[in-house]
Amino acid sequence: MDIKAGDFVKGKPEASIQYGMTDENMTKGVVTGVNGEQIKIKIIEHAKGRTGAFWVEAKYFEVIGHQKEFNRVEVLELLQNGCKKAILDYNLSGANLSGANLSEADLSRADLSEADLSGANLSGANLSEADLSRADLSGANLSEADLSGANLSGANLSEADLSRADLSGANLRRANLSGANLSEADLSGANLSGANLSEADLSRADLSGANLSRADLSGANLSEADLSGANLSGANLSEADLSRADLSGANLRRADLSGANLRRADLSGANLRRADLSEANLSEANLSGADLDFSCLPLRCGGLRWKIDKRLGAQLAYHLCSMQCNDAEYLKMRNSILVFANQFHRVGECGRLSEIAIPEEKKAAEE
């Protein structure tokens, strides 16, 4: 077999009989692995826009070229001459492109894994579905870049500018985004589990449906961000600014929200079970339909004027009525709201509360 790793291939007509993706409509793919008569092809160009990497039989494919070994001087010269697509003929995995001007370059589906792009200018670049796993993008300018569907797992994006970038559906698992500017970025449906986003600017960013489980968002700016339906279970949001953020339907189970600013945030329908909200500012927050079982709530000025529903109101009333206090005024108030308090959704588990005789009335009855 003449095909080897790094070869560019295209599908023969008979490939269409065997395969639905790597068929004759695949005009360019790169071989990333070889195992006997089997080769792994990553699709680069396809007439029907198909993407992906697949193990296939080598006999159905024709070699049309071979990847060139990376040469920084040649690549930068091509870029300066406007030959942006030509750099994909090079093996860019592990390439040193630090400080390079790649503004508006077309690097879609490129393999830039473990590449050094620190300080590079990638503003407006097309990096959709590119492999940037473990790449160094620290301090890079990625403003308004298209990174939709890109693999950025384990990448270093600390202090990078990703403002207004499209990161929808991107894989940012365990990426380092500390101090990064992600204001107004589209991160909808992105995987940010275990990522470091401490002190990052995510103001007005779209994180709807994103996976942020166990992510570090301590001190991050998430004001007016859309986190509806996001998974933030076990996330560290201590001291984060979530003012006016949309957290409706979000999963915040066991999240650390201590000292967070949630003023006027929408937490309707959110799961806040076992969440730590100590010292958080929940002033005018919407908690209607939220699950706050076993959570830690603040008793401070920032915990006033919540918007709640009947379910949470009954829960809070039950907790108030379950306190042991012999003061006559407290007991009058307690007895007056007891019917409502006993509508607590866990009353079957915790037990119904009964009226307690007020000392003055009890004494009068005995006389």
Side-chain angles (χ1 to χ4, degrees):
M1 185 180 69
D2 297 328
I3 299 179
K4 55 188 179 296
D7 281 342
F8 291 121
V9 295
K10 68 176 183 178
K12 295 178 180 179
E14 52 266 39
S16 296
I17 302 171
Q18 296 294 321
Y19 307 110
M21 302 291 279
T22 53
D23 54 13
E24 62 182 321
N25 290 304
M26 185 193 72
T27 54
K28 189 176 185 180
V30 62
V31 178
T32 60
V34 177
N35 185 10
E37 297 299 315
Q38 298 279 312
I39 56 173
K40 188 175 185 180
I41 298 175
K42 181 180 179 181
I43 299 172
I44 296 176
E45 295 173 5
H46 197 286
K48 295 183 177 180
R50 305 278 169 77
T51 62
F54 309 92
W55 282 99
V56 292
E57 288 188 70
K59 64 182 180 181
Y60 297 111
F61 302 90
E62 176 186 344
V63 176
I64 57 173
H66 188 80
Q67 273 189 331
K68 299 175 184 178
E69 288 303 312
F70 176 74
N71 183 303
R72 182 180 169 92
V73 175
E74 289 181 6
V75 168
L76 292 180
E77 186 177 342
L78 284 168
L79 288 168
Q80 288 168 3
N81 293 330
C83 304
K84 294 172 181 177
K85 194 71 177 178
I87 68 170
L88 294 180
D89 288 338
Y90 290 83
N91 180 7
L92 298 173
S93 178
N96 180 5
L97 288 162
S98 58
N101 183 6
L102 294 154
S103 176
E104 299 185 7
D106 186 353
L107 292 159
S108 56
R109 302 177 192 168
D111 183 358
L112 288 153
S113 56
E114 301 185 27
D116 184 356
L117 289 151
S118 56
N121 181 7
L122 288 149
S123 57
N126 182 2
L127 289 151
S128 58
E129 298 183 32
D131 186 354
L132 289 149
S133 55
R134 302 178 300 283
D136 185 356
L137 289 145
S138 56
N141 181 1
L142 288 147
S143 58
E144 300 184 15
D146 183 357
L147 289 145
S148 56
N151 182 4
L152 289 145
S153 58
N156 182 4
L157 290 144
S158 57
E159 305 295 333
D161 183 359
L162 289 145
S163 56
R164 298 178 299 284
D166 184 356
L167 289 144
S168 56
N171 181 4
L172 289 145
R173 187 171 181 268
R174 295 187 179 178
N176 182 4
L177 291 143
S178 58
N181 181 3
L182 289 145
S183 59
E184 299 183 54
D186 184 357
L187 289 144
S188 56
N191 183 359
L192 290 142
S193 58
N196 181 1
L197 290 145
S198 57
E199 304 295 334
D201 184 357
L202 290 144
S203 55
R204 298 177 299 283
D206 184 356
L207 289 144
S208 56
N211 182 1
L212 289 144
S213 57
R214 300 179 303 283
D216 183 358
L217 290 144
S218 56
N221 181 3
L222 289 146
S223 58
E224 299 183 60
D226 184 356
L227 289 145
S228 57
N231 182 3
L232 289 145
S233 58
N236 181 2
L237 289 147
S238 57
E239 304 296 333
D241 184 358
L242 288 146
S243 56
R244 298 178 185 271
D246 183 356
L247 288 146
S248 57
N251 182 3
L252 289 147
R253 187 183 179 95
R254 295 183 184 275
D256 183 357
L257 288 149
S258 57
N261 181 7
L262 288 150
R263 181 178 172 82
R264 296 189 179 179
D266 185 357
L267 288 149
S268 57
N271 182 356
L272 287 150
R273 278 199 166 212
R274 300 186 187 277
D276 184 357
L277 288 150
S278 57
E279 300 299 318
N281 183 355
L282 285 155
S283 177
E284 299 181 67
N286 183 359
L287 289 157
S288 56
D291 186 348
L292 287 150
D293 287 359
F294 309 107
S295 61
C296 176
L297 288 166
L299 288 174
R300 55 194 292 267
C301 293
L304 300 175
R305 295 183 295 280
W306 305 340
K307 183 179 179 180
I308 62 173
D309 59 1
K310 178 183 174 182
R311 179 180 182 275
L312 183 54
Q315 184 174 7
L316 294 170
Y318 185 95
H319 279 270
L320 175 61
C321 291
S322 66
M323 297 176 184
Q324 295 185 26
C325 176
N326 291 323
D327 181 82
E329 286 188 64
Y330 166 79
L331 291 174
K332 286 179 182 177
M333 177 279 301
R334 176 192 180 278
N335 291 342
S336 70
I337 64 169
L338 208 55
V339 173
F340 178 70
N342 278 324
Q343 294 179 53
F344 173 38
H345 62 279
R346 299 175 68 91
V347 73
E349 177 185 343
C350 300
R352 292 185 67 81
L353 298 173
S354 302
E355 281 196 15
I356 297 175
I358 301 169
E360 294 175 359
E361 296 176 356
K362 185 178 179 181
K363 185 178 179 181
E366 288 174 352
E367 292 177 351

